[in-house]
Amino acid sequence: MLKTTEKSVVKGKFIVSNDRGLHTRPSTELVKCANSFRSQVFLKYQKLAVNAKSLLGVLMLAASKGAKIGIEAEGVDAQEAVESIIELANNNFYIKY
């Protein structure tokens, strides 16, 4: 689910489907993905907003299975960044248990 505003801010959402939530391994994959883009990327969960390019920031979310995470990106490749993170989440962060 994507939404673009006038300031070229792209928003999206994903639901954490991993049984163990957004722990270290999926968080690392998410940070790697976010760092591959030039845009600023933020994740929002409950009352926290963190830089998606920071592993400690993502871990601070302490998102468990079923958590709805908002994504907000701004920059030249914001659309691609949001789409890639949603795809990553939909593929369980490419982690096999």
Side-chain angles (χ1 to χ4, degrees):
M1 173 159 50
L2 300 175
K3 185 169 118 183
T4 306
T5 62
E6 301 80 38
K7 292 184 175 180
S8 75
V9 173
V10 180
K11 296 182 181 186
K13 291 182 183 176
F14 68 89
I15 296 175
V16 177
S17 58
N18 294 41
D19 287 335
R20 299 177 187 164
L22 207 51
H23 61 87
T24 308
R25 284 189 290 164
S27 294
T28 300
E29 292 301 317
L30 195 152
V31 169
K32 278 194 238 176
C33 180
N35 274 306
S36 69
F37 297 96
R38 294 187 351 208
S39 297
Q40 292 182 326
V41 185
F42 295 94
L43 300 179
K44 295 181 177 186
Y45 177 60
Q46 295 176 339
K47 295 181 181 179
L48 284 176
V50 299
N51 184 344
K53 296 181 179 186
S54 163
L55 181 58
L56 288 176
V58 175
L59 290 172
M60 278 179 42
L61 296 175
S64 58
K65 182 175 181 175
K68 294 177 186 164
I69 309 290
I71 312 165
E72 196 170 292
E74 183 174 5
V76 294
D77 52 3
Q79 183 81 27
E80 294 87 0
V82 171
E83 289 172 354
S84 292
I85 291 172
I86 291 171
E87 181 181 340
L88 182 68
N90 289 340
N91 286 300
N92 289 325
F93 303 94
Y94 303 118
I95 295 184
K96 306 276 188 247
Y97 294 105

